[in-house]
Amino acid sequence: MWTYLLRRLFQALFTLLIITVLCFLLTRFSGDPLAQYAANPRMSAEDRAALVERLGLNDPLYVQYLKWLGLAIQGDLGNSFFARQPVTEMIAQRLPNTLILMMTAEIITVSFALFLGIISAVKQYSFWDNAITTFSFVGFSIPIFFSALGLMLIFAVQFKEWGLPYLPTGASVWDKSDPVEYIRNMILPVTALAFVNSAGYSRFVRTSILEVLGLDYIRTARAKGLTGRAVLFKHALRNAALPLVTIVGLDIPFLLGGAIVTESVFSWPGMGRLFWEYSQRSDYPVVLGILLIISLAVVILTIVTDIIYTFVDPRIRLS
Amino acid sequence: MKRNLFALLSLLVLASMVLAACGGAPEATEAPATEAAPATEAAATEAAACEPGGTEPIAFPDGGKSVTAAFDQEPDAIVPYFTQMSFAVWVTQLTLVGLGEWDDKGTFVPELAAEVPTADNGGVSADGLTITWKLKDCLFWSDGEPITSEDVKFTWELVVDPANAVTTRTGYDKIESIETPDDTTVVIKFAELYPPWPTLFTQGPNNAGSILPKHILEGITAAETDPFIRMPTVASGPFVITEWIPGDYMTLLPNPNFYKGRANLDRVQIRFVADSEAAKAALQTGDVDWYPNFSEGDIEALEALAPAVVLTVVPGVDFEHYFFNMGRVDGVDGRGAAENEGFCPFKDVRVRKAITLGINRQAIVDSLLFGKTTVPVSQWPNSAWTNTDLEVDAYDPDAAAALLEEAGYTLGADGIRVGDCNGTQTKLSFNFETTTAPIRIAIATVAQADLAKIGVEFTPIHTPAGTFFGQYVDGGPLTTGNYDMGGYTTGFYPDPYTDNYSCENIPTAANPTGTNWYHLCDPALSDLMDTALDTVDPAARKAILDEAQAYIAENYYVLMMYARGNVYGSTPRFQFGPAGPESDLNWNAEDWDVTE
Amino acid sequence: MATDIASFESQSIAREGVTGKVLTPSQLIWRRFRRHRMAVLGMISFSLLVLFVIIGSFYISEERANAVDLQARLTAPNNQYIMGTDTTGRDNFARIIHGGQISLIVGLTAVTISVVLGTLIGGLAGFFGGWVDSILMRFTEAMLSIPQLFLLIVLGKFIGRDIDTITLMGKTFSGSVLIVIVVIGTTSWMGLSRIVRANVLSLKEMDYVSVSKSLGSSQLRTFFKHLIPNTMGVIIVASTLGLAGAILSEAYVSFLGLGIQPPTASWGNMLTSAQAFVQQGSWWMWVFPSLFIILTILSVNLIGDGLRDAFDPRSARHL
């Protein structure tokens, strides 16, 4: 077990290194940080050259990379070109908001998906199964930039027009230390996220439960006289959890990255918006910093997921 | 002529000072802070009154008057020498002012300065090399320290210091020295003639020059990383930034020492939102009060939201233009060799003219832009620099087709014209590159359809702005000259900028930061533009620039599409003053108010 | 003996035939598929959609879909334009037909790329284990740690903008279509590969695989004959959700400004440009593209759902 863990950790470091190289190259070639000055005629050739020099964009690529890596190892992700703030500070300011929003959304999504998935599986082909299937796929079928905007227009704009109690668009200046305000502002983005994401999850829950219910040991359990419900909760759910763990594990990085689009539509001051805004500006210290944090999370969580497997499905051995 | 102009200017200056004094007076009763902001004459005679009104921003009272703006881009740095974002400049105008600014009528008016320097008042020397500014008496920073001529000198030193990564030194690098004989006199000596001197240390839409506080910033190096540069907490303008939560919002409170007196509003907040769609919804629910960055394409949608949303369209000095890649690998008369040869048929003025005549620009303005703007005759629209003798070429597909026939391009079987260009059979089929903005996509679609009718295949390619405007070293299409036709928006106010027509400014490996993205070297035009830079007399300059505009129009180098408008959306409760092409909305933020 | 195992499997399938008549596996799958009413409905509506965009294009040319008429801009649906016109006066009905072709082609090809990549990488990693697993999974993790939206942006810019038009099956596509396909395909296989790997790991421990191995079947044979087919259920659910995802990704790519180049229509770029009209009364701008996107994704997902039930020999037995 311990040697396994050690080996995984060693591999993880290797993965991280690959990721940093990959991300560095991708971000460096994803646009010009000086492009925002382009259409401004007052910026002379010399000004531009001086700025390029100052930002270190003239160094050979590997020098730029090694400089960045050297500092990153010491916990310094550099300064944003545009915000002129340490990247670590910028991320620290946004991370809590994203975590709160995304954790809430994830918990609601997973519970909703489990509920829908179980009903769907147990009552396969019934009216409820069909209704749930249709509903979850409709949620899944609308791009979130569209459904989020729709939710906002209905529950904020139209409700106000109709004189009904309405929800905030998220774009006002609101007090983050007031829990009531926080929840009020969170309702729409969480709904948008849950509406879209529970479709995929509930399908996987349904699939896995159906699969497990067909296995021999369940049949044995039934033969032993266990009731349907006991079988479901004692055996089926436990095994159906395996794919769900995989999926939720896969989603964790996106919890950190935040839902780029949802955060944007609802003006949520989180990591997703930070990322989107600064990748548009090709401010690569910020973009790289966020990617590094996300990668760290993925790598660690992958190991954790693999360990959870062994508990959930004893047939899998770590070797 | 020159004298008259200056006389007029001085009159306006005087008028605005009187107005400012009047504006300041009634507030004195409600805000004790106005002691520090009396009219200039009063302060001069009564030295004892020269005390700051306070040392802290005025706290927001319960039930005070507050407005919230929505910005879809968060400013990077508020000190203007370190940013080129319009969103940043809009905040700068609220908090850090300069020596002068342009008002809604396009008049250059003093701010911290007592008057605009002219030859008549001795502000401009006979050789045009020395400019003397007089500051108002009794000016204070929001922290109670005096604003003096030393601050102006310090500002210049900070901008030209190579240790500071400013975004542009244009103009400031032409200054040889700044002398400060007393606290209110600034003598600027230029090393060479710099006719656009009014753009230095002053604020207009495409330039922002603020005076910086020496007592705060003295001794800093690598200023671009200093927190004050990003978020100046000491102000000379109507408001002081007191809070800035990245990604969320910014709060500004009134400056107790503003020279015109305390602002009407008790608070301005700026909320950072994602895009104009979010802003549109937030305006309707009243979550925000105004949004400054709608595009012409939003006009129709905003009109539909009345009366919940008030639409204001102000013609701008920026313009959308299409242009031809005129690059010549050999250069012209030994000048301006480009690395990429432009599309061969474009070298024939008849082809360029045909394409200009073949796009129904007026129809585009009337339909896609709701007739809210115009097709400009030349660069520098809506400004005093426009050559008023020129006329817009009307849409004339028959004449366009005839021109192409004359140039030797005849219709092929596929409906696209083919002809001989420099010995090679060439199809009139080329790419047009621009960004992905929806309005650009719509306009390019129409242009494509229009040109197809005269046998020209015009294929739009839409690239995200970051790539489209990419640096030379990163292979950006504009900078490397890797395009056939291109299109984007630029603007030249407050003073025409002419470097981008210079043969010597074509970007190449040897000169990767060149700004002549047309890759156009026409020695006659290039020299004309250079002369304009060496002429100090405003009337003579105007004549040269008129000639340059006529020359560009005759040669069809640039296809003016439409003058950009500033489209603002606001709630009915938010009251703001008139806005002009040169002034923007924020020039008189101290007068903003709300009605409940 | 290996053949015996195979025949044992097919026997077990055949035994399920209610009538006692021996059915071929494909007949059986069809039989099970039919029991999923929603799936059949999905199949019918998807076929109708495909027929609509194919037959429609015989009657309405692409030129008509791109014909600009400023006089007729934003016309509400009438006899001439049954789905109205857009901002430049183009016929929405014609654009729905031709845009539909593009969206379906993009979705199908992209998901094919992604399924092949995901199955191969996940399957091989799980099957071989050891260093093959390590390398492939490190690579997967590296790719996974980058949010897909970001990958879409970066790759879109990276692959380049000047790809010449291609002619395929008598239709001319702008180079951007190819870019969008490759970008979506190569950024969406990671989830599937992890699921396939987890499944293969679990299956590897099952008796019949061990038996097959011990009996000296070649590794490749075991892999393709036993492991991949038994992972089919998972692959199919993932790839139908994937097809839906790919069609949606096309919309997101448009939303980010990197999509199919105009004037070529796609449902994604139609929906994106219609966003501004949601509040403006020009309902036909967004109603039709979103309707077609929802209908397509819904149908595809329902088909996948039915197929999953049908493919899995164990699922439908008890409930």
Side-chain angles (χ1 to χ4, degrees):
Chain A
M1 180 75 181
W2 289 112
T3 47
Y4 169 80
L5 263 184
L6 265 178
R7 210 184 66 223
R8 284 304 302 266
L9 283 176
F10 180 74
Q11 286 175 339
L13 281 178
F14 183 65
T15 312
L16 277 175
L17 204 69
I18 299 178
I19 292 170
T20 57
V21 175
L22 202 73
C23 291
F24 187 83
L25 289 176
L26 288 177
T27 43
R28 270 303 276 119
F29 288 109
S30 67
D32 175 6
L34 296 186
Q36 63 159 340
Y37 301 141
N40 194 316
R42 281 182 67 84
M43 193 170 188
S44 71
E46 297 80 49
D47 295 334
R48 185 170 268 273
L51 208 61
V52 167
E53 182 64 41
R54 173 54 68 95
L55 296 180
L57 299 175
N58 269 347
D59 289 334
L61 218 51
Y62 72 91
V63 174
Q64 293 183 31
Y65 170 72
L66 289 176
K67 273 186 186 168
W68 176 83
L69 188 67
L71 287 171
I73 289 171
Q74 301 164 38
D76 176 2
L77 296 174
N79 282 343
S80 153
F81 289 159
F82 297 102
R84 296 176 178 79
Q85 279 179 301
V87 173
T88 40
E89 209 174 280
M90 294 172 74
I91 293 177
Q93 281 160 339
R94 311 280 185 109
L95 196 55
N97 289 328
T98 288
L99 282 178
I100 294 173
L101 175 71
M102 297 308 284
M103 291 298 236
T104 316
E106 188 74 6
I107 290 168
I108 290 179
T109 305
V110 170
S111 0
F112 199 51
L114 272 174
F115 177 71
L116 294 182
I118 292 170
I119 295 185
S120 249
V122 173
K123 307 261 181 237
Q124 196 182 16
Y125 303 140
S126 71
F127 166 78
W128 284 110
D129 181 23
N130 291 342
I132 288 169
T133 303
T134 314
F135 166 79
S136 53
F137 284 147
V138 166
F140 186 80
S141 311
I142 311 172
I144 195 162
F145 62 82
F146 210 77
S147 48
L149 186 72
L151 281 173
M152 185 155 94
L153 291 178
I154 295 169
F155 293 105
V157 178
Q158 287 304 328
F159 268 46
K160 189 189 176 191
E161 211 158 277
W162 294 329
L164 296 169
Y166 60 97
L167 288 164
T169 56
S172 59
V173 176
W174 53 274
D175 183 7
K176 302 273 176 314
S177 57
D178 178 350
V180 178
E181 273 291 279
Y182 213 108
I183 292 168
R184 258 168 54 83
N185 276 281
M186 216 158 60
I187 296 175
L188 285 179
V190 165
T191 310
L193 285 166
F195 187 48
V196 170
N197 292 339
S198 35
Y201 284 4
S202 68
R203 292 334 281 165
F204 274 105
V205 172
R206 181 179 181 271
T207 307
S208 343
I209 292 183
L210 286 177
E211 215 147 75
V212 173
L213 286 177
L215 289 179
D216 287 345
Y217 69 95
I218 299 283
R219 265 185 289 170
T220 315
R222 280 174 181 260
K224 281 196 310 197
L226 286 176
T227 63
R229 187 159 296 183
V231 171
L232 185 70
F233 286 102
K234 200 153 178 200
H235 299 281
L237 257 188
R238 194 174 131 145
N239 286 283
L242 184 71
L244 197 65
V245 168
T246 314
I247 307 273
V248 173
L250 283 173
D251 272 353
I252 301 281
F254 299 98
L255 295 189
L256 290 177
I260 296 178
V261 176
T262 315
E263 286 195 358
S264 291
V265 173
F266 294 103
S267 308
W268 192 264
M271 295 260 285
R273 249 180 88 208
L274 183 73
F275 184 85
W276 173 226
E277 225 172 279
Y278 282 79
S279 64
Q280 278 177 310
R281 293 177 182 178
S282 302
D283 192 336
Y284 74 82
V286 180
V287 172
L288 265 175
I290 296 175
L291 289 176
L292 188 72
I293 303 274
I294 295 173
S295 327
L296 260 174
V298 181
V299 168
I300 293 167
L301 286 168
T302 311
I303 300 177
V304 174
T305 316
D306 282 357
I307 293 170
I308 293 178
Y309 275 0
T310 56
F311 291 111
V312 182
D313 187 347
R315 288 168 302 170
I316 298 174
R317 290 186 296 266
L318 296 176
S319 53
Chain B
M1 172 69 196
K2 179 177 153 192
R3 252 159 220 274
N4 284 343
L5 195 72
F6 283 142
L8 189 72
L9 269 177
S10 330
L11 254 174
L12 279 163
V13 166
L14 211 67
S16 65
M17 274 163 52
V18 171
L19 280 175
C22 296
E27 283 148 29
T29 49
E30 55 184 69
T34 29
E35 228 182 306
T40 9
E41 314 91 283
T45 50
E46 208 180 324
C50 208
E51 292 278 321
T55 55
E56 293 286 334
I58 299 166
F60 184 68
D62 275 340
K65 294 189 276 189
S66 175
V67 296
T68 306
F71 277 17
D72 59 353
Q73 287 175 41
E74 187 165 351
D76 45 2
I78 302 304
V79 170
Y81 306 102
F82 295 86
T83 177
Q84 301 260 312
M85 286 178 74
S86 10
F87 290 91
V89 171
W90 290 330
V91 181
T92 308
Q93 288 174 313
L94 299 181
T95 186
L96 282 176
V97 295
L99 295 174
E101 68 177 344
W102 278 262
D103 70 7
D104 61 308
K105 309 268 179 344
T107 314
F108 187 43
V109 297
E111 282 208 276
L112 296 180
E115 56 184 0
V116 170
T118 60
D120 285 349
N121 66 16
V124 180
S125 69
D127 60 2
L129 285 172
T130 307
I131 310 293
T132 307
W133 285 91
K134 286 291 279 182
L135 297 186
K136 289 188 168 78
D137 290 316
C138 231
L139 295 171
F140 293 97
W141 294 103
S142 62
D143 64 356
E145 293 290 320
I147 300 175
T148 70
S149 54
E150 280 298 318
D151 290 318
V152 181
K153 183 176 183 186
F154 171 78
T155 303
W156 171 65
E157 287 166 351
L158 185 138
V159 171
V160 293
D161 185 347
N164 299 326
V166 295
T167 49
T168 172
R169 296 192 170 90
T170 300
Y172 296 97
D173 53 1
K174 301 264 165 49
I175 297 175
E176 190 179 68
S177 69
I178 293 186
E179 279 159 30
T180 53
D182 61 56
D183 274 358
T184 57
T185 309
V186 185
V187 183
I188 302 176
K189 286 208 165 69
F190 282 90
E192 53 183 282
L193 271 184
Y194 190 67
W197 61 262
T199 62
L200 304 179
F201 304 112
T202 60
Q203 291 181 349
N206 285 333
N207 76 315
S210 301
I211 305 305
L212 303 178
K214 183 179 179 180
H215 68 283
I216 306 257
L217 291 171
E218 191 164 25
I220 63 161
T221 48
E224 68 278 6
T225 57
D226 192 89
F228 187 90
I229 297 298
R230 183 177 157 267
M231 175 181 160
T233 46
V234 168
S236 56
F239 295 97
V240 192
I241 305 173
T242 54
E243 189 184 19
W244 181 352
I245 299 176
D248 198 349
Y249 67 95
M250 183 189 267
T251 303
L252 297 102
L253 296 177
N255 172 2
N257 303 327
F258 183 52
Y259 73 91
K260 281 192 197 167
R262 181 198 192 282
N264 283 340
L265 290 176
D266 296 307
R267 185 173 70 188
V268 173
Q269 288 186 309
I270 298 168
R271 178 71 162 94
F272 308 120
V273 303
D275 54 26
S276 54
E277 288 307 314
K280 231 184 268 171
L283 277 171
Q284 290 178 74
T285 57
D287 281 344
V288 300
D289 294 297
W290 62 284
Y291 173 74
N293 199 37
F294 284 114
S295 89
E296 294 85 350
D298 294 315
I299 292 174
E300 198 171 39
L302 287 169
E303 275 178 338
L305 299 182
V309 178
V310 179
L311 166 73
T312 310
V313 184
V314 178
V317 291
D318 292 347
F319 57 87
E320 175 84 1
H321 69 325
Y322 283 9
F323 47 87
F324 306 94
N325 179 357
M326 298 297 295
R328 285 179 187 273
V329 174
D330 302 336
V332 182
D333 304 337
R335 295 171 69 181
E339 279 165 355
N340 282 303
E341 190 77 32
F343 185 53
C344 177
F346 290 164
K347 302 212 162 127
D348 187 334
V349 64
R350 288 171 296 191
V351 174
R352 301 197 298 267
K353 185 174 180 185
I355 290 169
T356 311
L357 298 182
I359 300 177
N360 195 345
R361 293 175 287 171
Q362 195 55 49
I364 289 171
V365 165
D366 289 343
S367 58
L368 297 179
L369 305 171
F370 315 101
K372 295 269 182 189
T373 179
T374 51
V375 179
V377 286
S378 79
Q379 291 86 330
W380 321 315
N382 296 325
S383 82
W385 300 103
T386 312
N387 181 341
T388 46
D389 296 336
L390 296 176
E391 270 175 38
V392 179
D393 290 284
Y395 175 58
D396 191 345
D398 299 333
L403 276 165
L404 293 175
E405 288 289 335
E406 190 192 318
Y409 296 95
T410 49
L411 279 176
D414 54 357
I416 302 166
R417 289 177 187 272
V418 193
D420 176 89
C421 189
N422 254 347
T424 321
Q425 277 296 104
T426 311
K427 234 183 178 185
L428 283 186
S429 164
F430 52 85
N431 287 342
F432 165 75
E433 312 228 1
T434 188
T435 72
T436 51
I439 190 78
R440 291 207 167 108
I441 293 177
I443 290 176
T445 306
V446 176
Q448 181 179 27
D450 281 349
L451 290 174
K453 289 179 200 149
I454 58 165
V456 172
E457 189 178 47
F458 168 99
T459 312
I461 294 185
H462 299 275
T463 330
T467 311
F468 179 65
F469 293 118
Q471 287 183 68
Y472 180 88
V473 287
D474 289 341
L478 283 180
T479 43
T480 55
N482 190 13
Y483 69 94
D484 298 328
M485 267 186 90
Y488 66 91
T489 286
T490 185
F492 296 85
Y493 202 76
D495 199 272
Y497 189 83
T498 50
D499 269 17
N500 50 351
Y501 286 100
S502 144
C503 289
E504 285 65 39
N505 251 337
I506 294 177
T508 56
N511 179 25
T513 47
T515 51
N516 181 347
W517 294 345
Y518 311 131
H519 298 255
L520 162 67
C521 178
D522 180 331
L525 181 62
S526 182
D527 294 345
L528 203 58
M529 291 300 200
D530 284 348
T531 325
L533 270 183
D534 295 335
T535 308
V536 72
D537 175 52
R541 252 184 113 217
K542 169 83 168 89
I544 294 168
L545 291 171
D546 275 351
E547 198 184 330
Q549 290 172 65
Y551 190 89
I552 294 170
E554 259 158 49
N555 285 287
Y556 293 92
Y557 284 136
V558 175
L559 223 158
M560 305 299 295
M561 294 302 287
Y562 63 97
R564 296 291 300 266
N566 296 318
V567 185
Y568 309 109
S570 56
T571 53
R573 70 187 277 269
F574 177 46
Q575 307 296 315
F576 53 93
E582 295 96 337
S583 73
D584 239 321
L585 186 72
N586 296 9
W587 72 284
N588 61 350
E590 58 276 8
D591 297 336
W592 289 351
D593 213 334
V594 290
T595 52
E596 296 303 342
Chain C
M1 259 311 268
T3 45
D4 280 357
I5 289 166
S7 61
F8 164 75
E9 275 187 313
S10 59
Q11 272 170 26
S12 83
I13 291 170
R15 259 191 270 127
E16 280 177 53
V18 197
T19 55
K21 193 171 66 181
V22 176
L23 295 168
T24 64
S26 55
Q27 279 174 317
L28 202 74
I29 285 166
W30 173 235
R31 194 176 256 267
R32 288 211 211 95
F33 182 81
R34 274 186 325 199
R35 282 172 55 193
H36 195 316
R37 289 222 194 87
M38 294 300 286
V40 176
L41 206 68
M43 186 90 140
I44 294 170
S45 80
F46 186 66
S47 314
L48 287 178
L49 276 165
V50 172
L51 283 176
F52 170 70
V53 299
I54 292 175
I55 295 176
S57 69
F58 288 121
Y59 289 96
I60 293 169
S61 68
E62 197 169 1
E63 283 74 46
R64 176 154 165 216
N66 294 335
V68 170
D69 178 5
L70 286 180
Q71 250 74 55
R73 64 186 299 272
L74 293 179
T75 310
N78 59 20
N79 286 339
Q80 192 189 355
Y81 302 110
I82 62 170
M83 291 184 187
T85 63
D86 69 1
T87 36
T88 50
R90 291 174 298 195
D91 183 355
N92 270 341
F93 183 66
R95 292 183 74 71
I96 285 281
I97 290 173
H98 289 273
Q101 286 193 359
I102 295 288
S103 290
L104 290 176
I105 288 169
V106 167
L108 285 168
T109 33
V111 92
T112 309
I113 294 177
S114 128
V115 165
V116 169
L117 280 176
T119 309
L120 275 181
I121 292 176
L124 291 175
F127 182 67
F128 287 106
W131 62 270
V132 177
D133 185 30
S134 290
I135 289 182
L136 290 177
M137 282 303 110
R138 294 304 80 75
F139 181 57
T140 309
E141 279 159 24
M143 290 288 285
L144 257 181
S145 71
I146 309 174
Q148 196 194 358
L149 270 187
F150 179 69
L151 273 177
L152 289 175
I153 299 167
V154 177
L155 272 175
K157 291 176 173 176
F158 202 75
I159 293 178
R161 58 205 170 82
D162 286 334
I163 291 193
D164 282 335
T165 52
I166 18 169
T167 309
L168 199 74
M169 300 182 298
K171 211 170 145 60
T172 313
F173 299 101
S174 88
S176 60
V177 176
L178 200 66
I179 295 178
V180 170
I181 291 171
V182 171
V183 167
I184 295 174
T186 52
T187 53
S188 54
W189 54 269
M190 295 83 76
L192 178 65
S193 84
R194 299 252 312 220
I195 296 162
V196 170
R197 174 178 173 269
N199 231 279
V200 168
L201 274 184
S202 175
L203 281 171
K204 236 173 39 168
E205 307 300 326
M206 290 202 171
D207 292 343
Y208 66 95
V209 177
S210 318
V211 170
S212 161
K213 262 179 158 176
S214 68
L215 290 172
S217 303
S218 79
Q219 293 206 321
L220 269 183
R221 190 183 159 79
T222 315
F223 182 66
F224 283 110
K225 195 91 191 168
H226 299 298
L227 292 184
I228 295 301
N230 280 293
T231 318
M232 254 334 169
V234 175
I235 294 178
I236 283 170
V237 173
S239 57
T240 44
L241 287 175
L243 174 58
I247 294 175
L248 280 179
S249 292
E250 192 266 314
Y252 280 109
V253 173
S254 291
F255 179 66
L256 298 171
L258 294 157
I260 312 287
Q261 291 284 348
T264 306
S266 74
W267 288 345
N269 67 21
M270 290 179 74
L271 185 64
T272 307
S273 60
Q275 222 198 334
F277 294 89
V278 176
Q279 283 195 74
Q280 208 186 303
S282 308
W283 53 271
W284 59 93
M285 287 291 288
W286 58 274
V287 165
F288 294 111
S290 50
L291 205 67
F292 275 85
I293 290 184
I294 293 173
L295 209 59
T296 309
I297 297 177
L298 192 60
S299 320
V300 169
N301 277 319
L302 290 173
I303 296 171
D305 215 48
L307 280 176
R308 193 213 61 82
D309 286 358
F311 261 108
D312 194 322
R314 301 163 308 220
S315 65
R317 220 172 295 165
H318 306 281
L319 297 159

